[in-house]
Amino acid sequence: MSKIHVSYNQIHTMVKETVDSMHLNEDFQPDIMVAIGGGGFIPARILRTFLKKKNNKNISIQAIGLSLYEDLEIWKAAHKDDEPTALEPEVIKTQWLNFDSSETSLIGRNILIVDEVDDTRRTLAYAVRELTKDLEIESEKLRAQGKEVPETKIGIFVLHNKLKEKREQLPDEIMNGRYFACKQMPDQWLVYPWDALDIEDHTEKSRDNTY
């Protein structure tokens, strides 16, 4: 499988163009981002530059940690000769939101989950499921207090969506108007600049991008 090197400049440009072309500020209007570490951190920070401030404040970026991708690559190498029915590793939380803090209350917000790539979709689907569970718990607390529960929306933002069969699916309400991918591409090996050992060499190789 060929490698595609992606530079910081290319990412900066594609994020800006996607915000404009998909009307994030006009339609979805995110007011909090949840970045999946570690690939979602830098895209989320770049993305914040192009999102409109809320009440003269920058959009908040919250971090979650999920473990799958690196573990999956190790698992594949270790089980390459096994039967295809061998169980793959599960997605697990390594860091999550603290809902006891008022700053991370998600009820009534437009939440934008940010990651670098939508590959098998397992990590994104897991993040949506777990956030939805937490939202329902918080909503039940409000209902028990006799309070109205405002609508909460979840969206997805990725740099790249690989056009391949996905292991899991996202809810229709996300895929129909709340899913934002900067690039749609074949299933190729992506190398991001935050993984580069030699950033000058990486940037030079990124000039060969034709996708």
Side-chain angles (χ1 to χ4, degrees), residues 54-158:
K54 300 292 182 181
N55 301 318
N56 292 319
K57 294 182 179 179
N58 284 320
I59 304 299
S60 172
I61 301 175
Q62 302 294 325
I64 60 175
L66 301 176
S67 177
L68 170 67
Y69 199 77
E70 292 180 359
D71 292 341
L72 184 58
E73 294 305 306
I74 295 171
W75 180 91
K76 285 179 177 178
H79 294 81
K80 60 182 179 180
D81 297 324
D82 290 358
E83 293 296 323
T85 54
L87 294 176
E88 293 183 358
E90 295 295 321
V91 181
I92 59 172
K93 297 177 186 176
T94 58
Q95 178 181 337
W96 202 249
L97 302 172
N98 175 16
F99 286 91
D100 292 329
S101 169
S102 60
E103 292 183 358
T104 56
S105 175
L106 301 182
I107 298 295
R109 312 286 290 273
N110 293 341
I111 308 161
L112 191 60
I113 299 173
V114 182
D115 205 358
E116 56 189 4
V117 61
D118 182 355
D119 191 344
T120 65
R121 198 162 280 174
R122 290 184 65 197
T123 301
L124 289 170
Y126 180 88
V128 170
R129 278 199 306 274
E130 293 301 305
L131 279 176
T132 301
K133 291 177 185 177
D134 291 335
L135 287 167
E136 186 54 36
I137 291 172
E138 294 301 304
S139 297
E140 285 299 326
K141 291 179 181 178
L142 291 178
R143 294 188 189 102
Q145 297 169 14
K147 296 180 180 179
E148 182 179 350
V149 180
E151 182 183 12
T152 304
K153 298 178 181 178
I154 298 176
I156 298 287
F157 187 100
V158 293

Side-chain angles (χ1 to χ4, degrees), residues 3-7 10-11 14 159-161 182-186 188 190-192 206 208-211:
K3 293 182 180 180
I4 294 180
H5 293 73
V6 190
S7 72
Q10 290 166 343
I11 291 168
M14 72 170 73
L159 299 179
H160 297 95
N161 175 38
C182 297
K183 295 284 187 181
Q184 308 282 349
M185 61 173 297
Q188 292 180 274
L190 290 161
V191 185
Y192 291 103
S206 73
D208 296 331
N209 280 351
T210 57
Y211 74 97

Side-chain angles (χ1 to χ4, degrees), residues 181-201:
C182 297
K183 295 284 187 181
Q184 308 282 349
M185 61 173 297
D187 186 12
Q188 292 180 274
W189 187 349
L190 290 161
V191 185
Y192 291 103
W194 39 87
D195 293 323
L197 295 176
D198 184 335
I199 193 62
E200 298 296 338
D201 178 65

